[in-house]
Amino acid sequence: MTVRVPAKVNLLLQVGPRRADGYHDLTTVYQAVSLYDEVTATPAASVTVAVAGDDVAAVPTGPDNLAHRAAELLARRAGAPGGVALEITKGIPVAGGMAGGSADAAAALVACEALWGTGCDRAQLTALAGELGSDVPFLLHGGTALGTGRGEVLTDVLARGTYHWVVALAEGGLSTPAVYAAFDDIGAKTGPGPEAVLAALRAGSATELAAALSNDLQPAALSLRPSLGRVLDAGAEIGALAGIVSGSGPTVVFLARDARHATGLAAELAGLGVARAVRRAYGPVPGARIVEPEA
Ligand code: C5P
């Protein structure tokens, strides 16, 4: 059973004060974009995880791996026997602020549900996803959605059009808790609410969306990784509509006018040598889905 799952970008990330449970209240607009991980689940006596792809030395393969925790949680709640070998192939940057770990957890839920035939419906899987992490429900859902609570409470939004992104990967990751802690330390300001982003999405306008992109974690990510300033500057110089740190970073994403513009920007950005690697992506795309075997 193989499941393909996308990455996310936050078109808007408005961070409120730290709550008693250590999390921050968020208002965010998620978009699922076409960088994918694949998770293959095969029957096994116990839960095991193997990871392949770029930069995977940093990914835990033991019980700390979020996909491992997803399999165990589903088995426990659904009363399934619970053995599974999970093979994860990474296409989403590791610790990059694009929710790769959360994506793998969402994919593991879908794959194990299908493998074990637990009979859990979408709503039950979404509730388990929310227990695993703030972004996991969105990676099940995909598309474009408004996230509230700590990000796990989703509301559909009307989004027209396809948006083309250039993704600048950084050398090494950033720890999400460390970025939130830096946000608290700096006393960073809470930015605008989602109204302008939602209006741009309703209009299907990349230029309007570019003007409305906003990430309250960006100053915190820049404080921990000042070199991201050069990446943002480079995107502005070559004519990206806008550039923004993705989630807690260090990946930076640039919005292009259209597919052709994105191809040109990606080539120029790669030539400037400010990023470890440059990818293109488009969104919105669906969430975690079973890959049907070729006929
Ligand atoms: O929910 P998740 O496990 O992905 O969150 C990782 C970390 O990011 C949390 O432990 C917390 O430090 C921080 N976080 C936060 N507020 C949120 C989401 C995440 O402080 N709404």
Side-chain angles (χ1 to χ4, degrees), residues 70-177:
E72 290 201 318
L73 182 66
L74 177 64
R76 201 158 62 239
R77 295 297 169 78
V84 66
L86 296 171
E87 281 176 51
I88 302 172
T89 306
K90 301 290 309 174
I92 305 174
V94 173
M98 300 192 83
S102 300
D104 298 343
L109 286 176
V110 172
C112 292
E113 196 292 311
L115 187 70
W116 298 333
T118 62
C120 278
D121 62 20
R122 208 72 193 176
Q124 289 167 315
L125 285 186
T126 301
L128 295 180
E131 288 184 45
L132 289 162
S134 310
D135 293 334
V136 184
F138 176 70
L139 278 312
L140 273 182
H141 184 282
T144 309
L146 180 69
T148 53
R150 59 184 169 83
E152 87 289 14
V153 181
L154 299 179
T155 309
D156 276 311
V157 305
L158 176 64
R160 290 197 176 85
T162 294
Y163 299 87
H164 296 273
W165 300 93
V166 174
V167 181
L169 307 188
E171 204 68 64
L174 273 177
S175 144
T176 303

